[in-house]
Amino acid sequence: MTPPSSTPPHVPPDENHAVLLLRLAGPLQSWGSRSAFNRRETRPEPTKSGVIGLLAAASGLAREDPLDELLPLRLGIRVDQPGTLLRDYHTVSDYRGRPLPQAGVNAEGIQKPTSPAKNTHVTIRYYLQDAVFVAALAGPRPLLTTLDQALRAPAFPLALGRRSCPPTQPLSCGVRDGGIEDVLREEPWQASRRAREQYAAQRGRERNLGHSLYPARVDRAVTVEDPDGDDILHDAPVSFHPHSRTFTSRRVRHDWLSIPTGFPRTHDHPTGSDDEAGHDPFALLGW
C-alpha cells in the first residue's frame, strides 16, 4: 500500500486563472487588524483587508461599493525584507482650541465633547520601516489583468495600510501563469540591494572565504491562504462602508520557500552550488 503523500495532487493549469504579483515596499507600512483609536498596531506582514483595499482604491471603488469581485481572490504573502518596528508617539488636538469630542456617538451620530474637557489626546502608532513584501493574488485572468492596469494608473492615491504610507515603485510586477506558491518560488528576491549584499557578505564570513559569497537561493517565509490551513486570521474584508465596516476570518498556513536571489553569476563568485540550495533555518530570522 502506498503511503499518503503530503504533496498536494497536481492540478492541470486553468487558462482562465492566473496570479497577480505586487511588490509592497516603502519607507513605512502599517497593516492593522485589531486596533483601537489610541493604539494603532501593525501586523508583521500585510493583511488581506489592506491588500484588497489597495486594489479597490486603484480600481476607483468607493467605500460604499460592494467588493464582490475582489473578495474571492486568494492571497499569498512572501516576506522578502521584514523591516523593523517603529513606535510613534502621537498627540491629537483641535487647532481651534476646542475640547476633543468623545470617541462614541449618540443616536443622531453626533459626538459629544469630552467631560471633563480634554484638549490633548495621546495615541501610540506602530509602523514597519524599510520592509519589502511580495503579494500574490490568484483569480480569473481577465480580472487580474484589469487590476494590473489599474495599479499602474490608480483612480485614488494608494497606501500601504495607512494613508501616510505611500508605496514605492514598481508596485505591480505583472500577471503570471501558475499557482501562488510556484510563482512566489520563482520570483527573484525583492529586498533592497543593501540588504541582499549584507546577506551575501554574512554568508561569505560564515564560510571564511575572505570575500562575499553570492548564493543562488535564499529561504523566505510565506503565508498562503488555504482552507485547510492550521492558523486563522481575522482580516478578510466583507465591506469597507464607513458606517458598517465588516470583516471575517480566513484560514492560512505558514511555510518557507527557497527563492532565487537574483545575484549575477561571475567567475569569481559562482552560484548554484548544492550547499546553497538547501534550507537554512536561520535565514528566516535574517541571520
Side-chain angles (χ1 to χ4, degrees), residues 121-181:
H121 190 78
V122 176
T123 71
I124 303 298
R125 307 189 180 200
Y126 291 90
Y127 300 87
L128 296 176
Q129 302 178 101
D130 300 323
V132 181
F133 305 97
V134 175
L137 294 132
R141 180 181 294 275
L143 173 60
L144 297 182
T145 300
T146 300
L147 292 174
D148 177 41
Q149 296 170 351
L151 290 167
R152 299 173 190 275
F156 297 124
L158 305 182
L160 302 177
R162 290 196 194 138
R163 292 183 182 179
S164 60
C165 304
T168 59
Q169 298 297 325
L171 177 58
S172 176
C173 298
V175 178
R176 310 291 169 82
D177 294 320
I180 285 183
E181 288 182 81

Short mmCIF file of all heavy atoms in Angstrom, two decimals, residues 121-181:
data_model
loop_
_atom_site.label_atom_id
_atom_site.label_comp_id
_atom_site.label_asym_id
_atom_site.label_seq_id
_atom_site.Cartn_x
_atom_site.Cartn_y
_atom_site.Cartn_z
N HIS A 121 -5.03 64.52 23.29
CA HIS A 121 -5.14 63.07 23.41
C HIS A 121 -3.86 62.43 22.89
O HIS A 121 -3.35 62.82 21.82
CB HIS A 121 -6.34 62.55 22.61
CG HIS A 121 -6.65 61.12 22.88
ND1 HIS A 121 -7.33 60.69 24.00
CD2 HIS A 121 -6.37 60.00 22.17
CE1 HIS A 121 -7.45 59.38 23.97
NE2 HIS A 121 -6.89 58.94 22.87
N VAL A 122 -3.33 61.49 23.66
CA VAL A 122 -2.10 60.80 23.28
C VAL A 122 -2.44 59.47 22.63
O VAL A 122 -3.26 58.70 23.15
CB VAL A 122 -1.20 60.57 24.51
CG1 VAL A 122 0.05 59.76 24.11
CG2 VAL A 122 -0.79 61.90 25.13
N THR A 123 -1.83 59.21 21.47
CA THR A 123 -2.01 57.92 20.81
C THR A 123 -0.65 57.32 20.49
O THR A 123 0.35 58.04 20.35
CB THR A 123 -2.81 58.05 19.49
OG1 THR A 123 -2.00 58.71 18.52
CG2 THR A 123 -4.08 58.85 19.71
N ILE A 124 -0.61 56.01 20.40
CA ILE A 124 0.61 55.28 20.05
C ILE A 124 0.36 54.59 18.72
O ILE A 124 -0.63 53.87 18.56
CB ILE A 124 0.99 54.26 21.13
CG1 ILE A 124 1.16 54.95 22.49
CG2 ILE A 124 2.25 53.52 20.73
CD1 ILE A 124 2.27 55.97 22.52
N ARG A 125 1.26 54.80 17.77
CA ARG A 125 1.09 54.19 16.45
C ARG A 125 2.37 53.44 16.07
O ARG A 125 3.47 53.93 16.29
CB ARG A 125 0.76 55.25 15.41
CG ARG A 125 -0.44 56.09 15.85
CD ARG A 125 -0.96 57.00 14.80
NE ARG A 125 -2.10 57.76 15.30
CZ ARG A 125 -3.01 58.36 14.55
NH1 ARG A 125 -2.90 58.28 13.24
NH2 ARG A 125 -4.00 59.02 15.08
N TYR A 126 2.18 52.27 15.49
CA TYR A 126 3.31 51.43 15.12
C TYR A 126 3.40 51.28 13.60
O TYR A 126 2.37 51.19 12.91
CB TYR A 126 3.18 50.05 15.77
CG TYR A 126 3.34 50.08 17.27
CD1 TYR A 126 2.25 50.26 18.11
CD2 TYR A 126 4.59 49.92 17.85
CE1 TYR A 126 2.40 50.29 19.48
CE2 TYR A 126 4.76 49.95 19.22
CZ TYR A 126 3.66 50.14 20.03
OH TYR A 126 3.82 50.17 21.39
N TYR A 127 4.62 51.25 13.10
CA TYR A 127 4.87 51.11 11.67
C TYR A 127 6.00 50.10 11.44
O TYR A 127 6.81 49.84 12.34
CB TYR A 127 5.30 52.44 11.05
CG TYR A 127 4.29 53.55 11.18
CD1 TYR A 127 4.26 54.37 12.31
CD2 TYR A 127 3.37 53.82 10.17
CE1 TYR A 127 3.33 55.40 12.44
CE2 TYR A 127 2.44 54.84 10.28
CZ TYR A 127 2.43 55.63 11.42
OH TYR A 127 1.52 56.65 11.54
N LEU A 128 6.05 49.56 10.23
CA LEU A 128 7.19 48.77 9.79
C LEU A 128 8.07 49.65 8.93
O LEU A 128 7.61 50.29 7.98
CB LEU A 128 6.72 47.56 8.97
CG LEU A 128 5.88 46.51 9.70
CD1 LEU A 128 5.42 45.44 8.72
CD2 LEU A 128 6.64 45.89 10.86
N GLN A 129 9.37 49.73 9.26
CA GLN A 129 10.31 50.53 8.49
C GLN A 129 11.06 49.65 7.50
O GLN A 129 11.55 48.57 7.85
CB GLN A 129 11.34 51.19 9.42
CG GLN A 129 10.75 52.08 10.49
CD GLN A 129 11.85 52.66 11.37
OE1 GLN A 129 12.25 53.81 11.20
NE2 GLN A 129 12.33 51.87 12.30
N ASP A 130 11.19 50.14 6.27
CA ASP A 130 12.04 49.51 5.24
C ASP A 130 11.70 48.04 5.03
O ASP A 130 12.59 47.22 4.79
CB ASP A 130 13.52 49.65 5.60
CG ASP A 130 13.93 51.11 5.71
OD1 ASP A 130 13.42 51.92 4.92
OD2 ASP A 130 14.75 51.44 6.60
N ALA A 131 10.43 47.69 5.09
CA ALA A 131 10.01 46.31 4.84
C ALA A 131 9.68 46.13 3.35
O ALA A 131 9.29 47.08 2.68
CB ALA A 131 8.80 45.94 5.69
N VAL A 132 9.84 44.91 2.87
CA VAL A 132 9.52 44.58 1.48
C VAL A 132 8.78 43.24 1.47
O VAL A 132 9.28 42.25 2.02
CB VAL A 132 10.77 44.48 0.59
CG1 VAL A 132 10.37 44.15 -0.85
CG2 VAL A 132 11.58 45.77 0.63
N PHE A 133 7.60 43.24 0.87
CA PHE A 133 6.81 42.03 0.75
C PHE A 133 6.44 41.81 -0.72
O PHE A 133 6.34 42.75 -1.50
CB PHE A 133 5.51 42.13 1.56
CG PHE A 133 5.73 42.45 3.01
CD1 PHE A 133 5.62 43.76 3.47
CD2 PHE A 133 6.04 41.45 3.92
CE1 PHE A 133 5.82 44.06 4.81
CE2 PHE A 133 6.24 41.74 5.26
CZ PHE A 133 6.13 43.05 5.71
N VAL A 134 6.22 40.55 -1.06
CA VAL A 134 5.67 40.19 -2.37
C VAL A 134 4.32 39.55 -2.12
O VAL A 134 4.23 38.54 -1.42
CB VAL A 134 6.60 39.24 -3.15
CG1 VAL A 134 5.93 38.80 -4.45
CG2 VAL A 134 7.93 39.91 -3.45
N ALA A 135 3.27 40.17 -2.66
CA ALA A 135 1.91 39.65 -2.50
C ALA A 135 1.48 39.00 -3.81
O ALA A 135 1.67 39.58 -4.89
CB ALA A 135 0.94 40.77 -2.12
N ALA A 136 0.91 37.81 -3.72
CA ALA A 136 0.42 37.09 -4.89
C ALA A 136 -1.08 36.88 -4.74
O ALA A 136 -1.54 36.37 -3.72
CB ALA A 136 1.13 35.74 -5.02
N LEU A 137 -1.83 37.30 -5.75
CA LEU A 137 -3.29 37.17 -5.74
C LEU A 137 -3.71 36.27 -6.89
O LEU A 137 -3.41 36.56 -8.05
CB LEU A 137 -3.95 38.53 -5.86
CG LEU A 137 -3.72 39.45 -4.66
CD1 LEU A 137 -3.30 40.82 -5.12
CD2 LEU A 137 -4.96 39.53 -3.79
N ALA A 138 -4.39 35.18 -6.57
CA ALA A 138 -4.82 34.22 -7.58
C ALA A 138 -6.31 34.41 -7.86
O ALA A 138 -7.11 34.58 -6.94
CB ALA A 138 -4.56 32.79 -7.11
N GLY A 139 -6.65 34.40 -9.15
CA GLY A 139 -8.04 34.57 -9.55
C GLY A 139 -8.19 34.55 -11.05
O GLY A 139 -7.25 34.18 -11.78
N PRO A 140 -9.35 34.96 -11.55
CA PRO A 140 -9.58 34.97 -13.00
C PRO A 140 -8.61 35.91 -13.72
O PRO A 140 -8.40 37.05 -13.28
CB PRO A 140 -11.02 35.45 -13.12
CG PRO A 140 -11.63 35.20 -11.79
CD PRO A 140 -10.54 35.37 -10.79
N ARG A 141 -8.04 35.45 -14.81
CA ARG A 141 -7.07 36.24 -15.55
C ARG A 141 -7.62 37.60 -16.02
O ARG A 141 -6.94 38.61 -15.89
CB ARG A 141 -6.54 35.45 -16.74
CG ARG A 141 -5.50 36.20 -17.58
CD ARG A 141 -5.03 35.35 -18.75
NE ARG A 141 -4.30 34.20 -18.28
CZ ARG A 141 -3.00 34.23 -17.99
NH1 ARG A 141 -2.31 35.35 -18.12
NH2 ARG A 141 -2.39 33.14 -17.58
N PRO A 142 -8.85 37.66 -16.59
CA PRO A 142 -9.35 38.97 -17.03
C PRO A 142 -9.42 39.98 -15.89
O PRO A 142 -9.07 41.15 -16.07
CB PRO A 142 -10.74 38.64 -17.59
CG PRO A 142 -10.67 37.20 -17.97
CD PRO A 142 -9.79 36.58 -16.95
N LEU A 143 -9.84 39.54 -14.70
CA LEU A 143 -9.91 40.45 -13.55
C LEU A 143 -8.52 40.90 -13.13
O LEU A 143 -8.29 42.10 -12.88
CB LEU A 143 -10.62 39.76 -12.39
CG LEU A 143 -10.61 40.52 -11.05
CD1 LEU A 143 -11.30 41.87 -11.20
CD2 LEU A 143 -11.25 39.68 -9.95
N LEU A 144 -7.58 39.98 -13.07
CA LEU A 144 -6.22 40.33 -12.65
C LEU A 144 -5.55 41.26 -13.65
O LEU A 144 -4.79 42.15 -13.27
CB LEU A 144 -5.40 39.06 -12.46
CG LEU A 144 -5.88 38.10 -11.36
CD1 LEU A 144 -4.95 36.91 -11.24
CD2 LEU A 144 -6.00 38.82 -10.03
N THR A 145 -5.83 41.06 -14.93
CA THR A 145 -5.28 41.96 -15.94
C THR A 145 -5.82 43.37 -15.77
O THR A 145 -5.09 44.36 -15.87
CB THR A 145 -5.62 41.43 -17.34
OG1 THR A 145 -5.06 40.12 -17.51
CG2 THR A 145 -5.04 42.35 -18.42
N THR A 146 -7.11 43.47 -15.47
CA THR A 146 -7.71 44.78 -15.22
C THR A 146 -7.12 45.43 -13.98
O THR A 146 -6.83 46.64 -13.97
CB THR A 146 -9.24 44.63 -15.05
OG1 THR A 146 -9.79 44.07 -16.24
CG2 THR A 146 -9.90 45.97 -14.79
N LEU A 147 -6.90 44.65 -12.92
CA LEU A 147 -6.31 45.19 -11.70
C LEU A 147 -4.87 45.63 -11.92
O LEU A 147 -4.42 46.64 -11.38
CB LEU A 147 -6.37 44.13 -10.59
CG LEU A 147 -7.76 43.78 -10.07
CD1 LEU A 147 -7.67 42.61 -9.08
CD2 LEU A 147 -8.42 44.98 -9.42
N ASP A 148 -4.14 44.87 -12.72
CA ASP A 148 -2.76 45.24 -13.05
C ASP A 148 -2.73 46.61 -13.73
O ASP A 148 -1.91 47.47 -13.39
CB ASP A 148 -2.15 44.16 -13.95
CG ASP A 148 -0.75 44.51 -14.40
OD1 ASP A 148 0.03 45.01 -13.57
OD2 ASP A 148 -0.43 44.29 -15.58
N GLN A 149 -3.63 46.84 -14.67
CA GLN A 149 -3.70 48.13 -15.36
C GLN A 149 -4.11 49.24 -14.40
O GLN A 149 -3.59 50.36 -14.47
CB GLN A 149 -4.68 48.03 -16.52
CG GLN A 149 -4.24 47.06 -17.61
CD GLN A 149 -5.32 46.79 -18.64
OE1 GLN A 149 -6.48 47.20 -18.47
NE2 GLN A 149 -4.96 46.09 -19.71
N ALA A 150 -5.03 48.92 -13.48
CA ALA A 150 -5.48 49.94 -12.51
C ALA A 150 -4.35 50.33 -11.57
O ALA A 150 -4.21 51.51 -11.21
CB ALA A 150 -6.67 49.40 -11.72
N LEU A 151 -3.52 49.39 -11.16
CA LEU A 151 -2.41 49.70 -10.26
C LEU A 151 -1.37 50.59 -10.92
O LEU A 151 -0.68 51.36 -10.25
CB LEU A 151 -1.75 48.41 -9.78
CG LEU A 151 -2.56 47.55 -8.82
CD1 LEU A 151 -1.94 46.17 -8.67
CD2 LEU A 151 -2.67 48.23 -7.46
N ARG A 152 -1.26 50.52 -12.23
CA ARG A 152 -0.30 51.34 -12.96
C ARG A 152 -0.85 52.75 -13.24
O ARG A 152 -0.07 53.67 -13.53
CB ARG A 152 0.08 50.65 -14.27
CG ARG A 152 0.74 49.28 -14.05
CD ARG A 152 0.97 48.53 -15.35
NE ARG A 152 1.38 47.16 -15.11
CZ ARG A 152 2.63 46.76 -14.89
NH1 ARG A 152 3.61 47.66 -14.89
NH2 ARG A 152 2.91 45.48 -14.67
N ALA A 153 -2.16 52.92 -13.13
CA ALA A 153 -2.79 54.24 -13.29
C ALA A 153 -3.96 54.31 -12.32
O ALA A 153 -5.12 54.27 -12.72
CB ALA A 153 -3.26 54.45 -14.72
N PRO A 154 -3.70 54.39 -11.01
CA PRO A 154 -4.75 54.27 -10.00
C PRO A 154 -5.72 55.45 -9.99
O PRO A 154 -5.34 56.59 -10.27
CB PRO A 154 -3.97 54.21 -8.68
CG PRO A 154 -2.66 54.87 -8.97
CD PRO A 154 -2.36 54.56 -10.41
N ALA A 155 -6.98 55.15 -9.67
CA ALA A 155 -8.01 56.18 -9.60
C ALA A 155 -7.85 57.02 -8.33
O ALA A 155 -8.12 58.22 -8.34
CB ALA A 155 -9.39 55.53 -9.64
N PHE A 156 -7.46 56.39 -7.22
CA PHE A 156 -7.25 57.08 -5.95
C PHE A 156 -5.81 56.85 -5.50
O PHE A 156 -5.17 55.87 -5.91
CB PHE A 156 -8.21 56.56 -4.88
CG PHE A 156 -9.66 56.81 -5.18
CD1 PHE A 156 -10.57 55.76 -5.22
CD2 PHE A 156 -10.12 58.09 -5.42
CE1 PHE A 156 -11.92 55.98 -5.49
CE2 PHE A 156 -11.46 58.33 -5.69
CZ PHE A 156 -12.36 57.28 -5.73
N PRO A 157 -5.27 57.72 -4.64
CA PRO A 157 -3.92 57.50 -4.10
C PRO A 157 -3.84 56.16 -3.36
O PRO A 157 -4.78 55.77 -2.66
CB PRO A 157 -3.73 58.69 -3.15
CG PRO A 157 -4.66 59.74 -3.64
CD PRO A 157 -5.85 59.01 -4.19
N LEU A 158 -2.73 55.48 -3.52
CA LEU A 158 -2.55 54.16 -2.91
C LEU A 158 -1.68 54.27 -1.66
O LEU A 158 -0.85 55.16 -1.55
CB LEU A 158 -1.90 53.21 -3.92
CG LEU A 158 -2.63 53.06 -5.26
CD1 LEU A 158 -1.90 52.05 -6.14
CD2 LEU A 158 -4.08 52.65 -5.05
N ALA A 159 -1.90 53.35 -0.74
CA ALA A 159 -1.16 53.38 0.52
C ALA A 159 -0.93 51.95 1.01
O ALA A 159 -1.68 51.03 0.68
CB ALA A 159 -1.93 54.17 1.58
N LEU A 160 0.11 51.80 1.81
CA LEU A 160 0.47 50.51 2.38
C LEU A 160 -0.12 50.40 3.78
O LEU A 160 0.57 50.51 4.79
CB LEU A 160 1.99 50.34 2.41
CG LEU A 160 2.69 50.45 1.05
CD1 LEU A 160 4.20 50.36 1.21
CD2 LEU A 160 2.18 49.39 0.09
N GLY A 161 -1.43 50.26 3.84
CA GLY A 161 -2.11 50.09 5.11
C GLY A 161 -2.71 51.37 5.65
O GLY A 161 -3.83 51.37 6.15
N ARG A 162 -1.99 52.48 5.59
CA ARG A 162 -2.48 53.78 6.05
C ARG A 162 -2.16 54.83 5.00
O ARG A 162 -1.21 54.70 4.21
CB ARG A 162 -1.82 54.18 7.38
CG ARG A 162 -2.26 53.35 8.54
CD ARG A 162 -1.89 54.01 9.86
NE ARG A 162 -2.03 53.05 10.96
CZ ARG A 162 -1.17 52.93 11.96
NH1 ARG A 162 -0.11 53.72 12.01
NH2 ARG A 162 -1.37 52.06 12.91
N ARG A 163 -2.93 55.91 5.02
CA ARG A 163 -2.75 56.95 4.01
C ARG A 163 -1.37 57.59 4.08
O ARG A 163 -0.87 58.12 3.09
CB ARG A 163 -3.83 58.03 4.19
CG ARG A 163 -5.23 57.55 3.87
CD ARG A 163 -6.22 58.68 4.01
NE ARG A 163 -7.59 58.24 3.75
CZ ARG A 163 -8.66 59.03 3.83
NH1 ARG A 163 -8.49 60.30 4.19
NH2 ARG A 163 -9.86 58.56 3.56
N SER A 164 -0.76 57.58 5.25
CA SER A 164 0.56 58.20 5.41
C SER A 164 1.69 57.31 4.93
O SER A 164 2.87 57.66 5.10
CB SER A 164 0.79 58.56 6.89
OG SER A 164 0.71 57.39 7.70
N CYS A 165 1.38 56.15 4.33
CA CYS A 165 2.41 55.18 3.91
C CYS A 165 2.32 54.91 2.42
O CYS A 165 1.78 53.87 2.00
CB CYS A 165 2.25 53.88 4.70
SG CYS A 165 2.28 54.06 6.49
N PRO A 166 2.81 55.82 1.58
CA PRO A 166 2.75 55.57 0.13
C PRO A 166 3.75 54.51 -0.29
O PRO A 166 4.82 54.36 0.31
CB PRO A 166 3.13 56.94 -0.47
CG PRO A 166 4.00 57.57 0.58
CD PRO A 166 3.44 57.12 1.90
N PRO A 167 3.42 53.74 -1.33
CA PRO A 167 4.33 52.69 -1.80
C PRO A 167 5.37 53.26 -2.75
O PRO A 167 5.17 54.29 -3.40
CB PRO A 167 3.40 51.72 -2.53
CG PRO A 167 2.30 52.61 -3.05
CD PRO A 167 2.12 53.70 -2.03
N THR A 168 6.50 52.56 -2.84
CA THR A 168 7.50 52.87 -3.85
C THR A 168 7.14 52.10 -5.12
O THR A 168 6.34 51.20 -5.12
CB THR A 168 8.91 52.49 -3.38
OG1 THR A 168 8.94 51.08 -3.08
CG2 THR A 168 9.30 53.26 -2.14
N GLN A 169 7.76 52.49 -6.21
CA GLN A 169 7.51 51.85 -7.50
C GLN A 169 8.66 50.92 -7.86
O GLN A 169 9.80 51.14 -7.44
CB GLN A 169 7.34 52.92 -8.58
CG GLN A 169 6.15 53.83 -8.35
CD GLN A 169 4.83 53.08 -8.38
OE1 GLN A 169 4.66 52.13 -9.15
NE2 GLN A 169 3.89 53.50 -7.54
N PRO A 170 8.42 49.87 -8.62
CA PRO A 170 7.12 49.47 -9.18
C PRO A 170 6.26 48.76 -8.15
O PRO A 170 6.79 48.04 -7.29
CB PRO A 170 7.51 48.54 -10.32
CG PRO A 170 8.78 47.90 -9.84
CD PRO A 170 9.50 48.98 -9.07
N LEU A 171 4.97 48.97 -8.22
CA LEU A 171 4.04 48.31 -7.31
C LEU A 171 3.56 46.99 -7.88
O LEU A 171 3.57 45.96 -7.21
CB LEU A 171 2.86 49.23 -7.02
CG LEU A 171 1.75 48.68 -6.12
CD1 LEU A 171 2.31 48.27 -4.76
CD2 LEU A 171 0.65 49.72 -5.94
N SER A 172 3.14 47.00 -9.13
CA SER A 172 2.70 45.77 -9.78
C SER A 172 3.84 45.14 -10.56
O SER A 172 4.55 45.82 -11.30
CB SER A 172 1.53 46.06 -10.73
OG SER A 172 1.15 44.87 -11.42
N CYS A 173 4.02 43.84 -10.35
CA CYS A 173 5.05 43.09 -11.10
C CYS A 173 4.45 42.33 -12.27
O CYS A 173 5.16 41.58 -12.95
CB CYS A 173 5.77 42.12 -10.16
SG CYS A 173 6.64 42.92 -8.81
N GLY A 174 3.13 42.48 -12.49
CA GLY A 174 2.50 41.86 -13.64
C GLY A 174 1.75 40.58 -13.30
O GLY A 174 1.73 40.12 -12.15
N VAL A 175 1.11 40.03 -14.32
CA VAL A 175 0.30 38.81 -14.19
C VAL A 175 1.14 37.63 -14.66
O VAL A 175 1.77 37.68 -15.71
CB VAL A 175 -0.99 38.93 -15.02
CG1 VAL A 175 -1.81 37.65 -14.92
CG2 VAL A 175 -1.82 40.13 -14.55
N ARG A 176 1.14 36.54 -13.87
CA ARG A 176 1.95 35.37 -14.17
C ARG A 176 1.08 34.12 -14.27
O ARG A 176 0.00 34.06 -13.69
CB ARG A 176 3.01 35.16 -13.09
CG ARG A 176 3.81 36.41 -12.74
CD ARG A 176 4.72 36.82 -13.89
NE ARG A 176 5.30 38.13 -13.66
CZ ARG A 176 6.36 38.38 -12.90
NH1 ARG A 176 6.96 37.37 -12.29
NH2 ARG A 176 6.82 39.60 -12.76
N ASP A 177 1.59 33.14 -14.96
CA ASP A 177 0.96 31.83 -15.02
C ASP A 177 1.42 30.99 -13.84
O ASP A 177 2.54 31.17 -13.33
CB ASP A 177 1.31 31.11 -16.33
CG ASP A 177 0.73 31.83 -17.54
OD1 ASP A 177 -0.42 32.30 -17.45
OD2 ASP A 177 1.42 31.90 -18.58
N GLY A 178 0.58 30.02 -13.43
CA GLY A 178 0.95 29.11 -12.37
C GLY A 178 0.17 29.35 -11.09
O GLY A 178 -0.66 30.25 -11.00
N GLY A 179 0.47 28.53 -10.07
CA GLY A 179 -0.16 28.68 -8.77
C GLY A 179 0.59 29.69 -7.91
O GLY A 179 1.70 30.12 -8.25
N ILE A 180 -0.01 30.04 -6.78
CA ILE A 180 0.59 31.05 -5.90
C ILE A 180 1.99 30.65 -5.46
O ILE A 180 2.95 31.42 -5.58
CB ILE A 180 -0.31 31.28 -4.67
CG1 ILE A 180 -1.54 32.10 -5.06
CG2 ILE A 180 0.46 32.01 -3.57
CD1 ILE A 180 -2.45 32.43 -3.90
N GLU A 181 2.14 29.44 -4.95
CA GLU A 181 3.45 29.03 -4.43
C GLU A 181 4.48 28.90 -5.53
O GLU A 181 5.66 29.25 -5.33
CB GLU A 181 3.31 27.74 -3.64
CG GLU A 181 2.59 27.93 -2.32
CD GLU A 181 2.50 26.64 -1.52
OE1 GLU A 181 3.48 26.28 -0.86
OE2 GLU A 181 1.44 26.02 -1.57
#
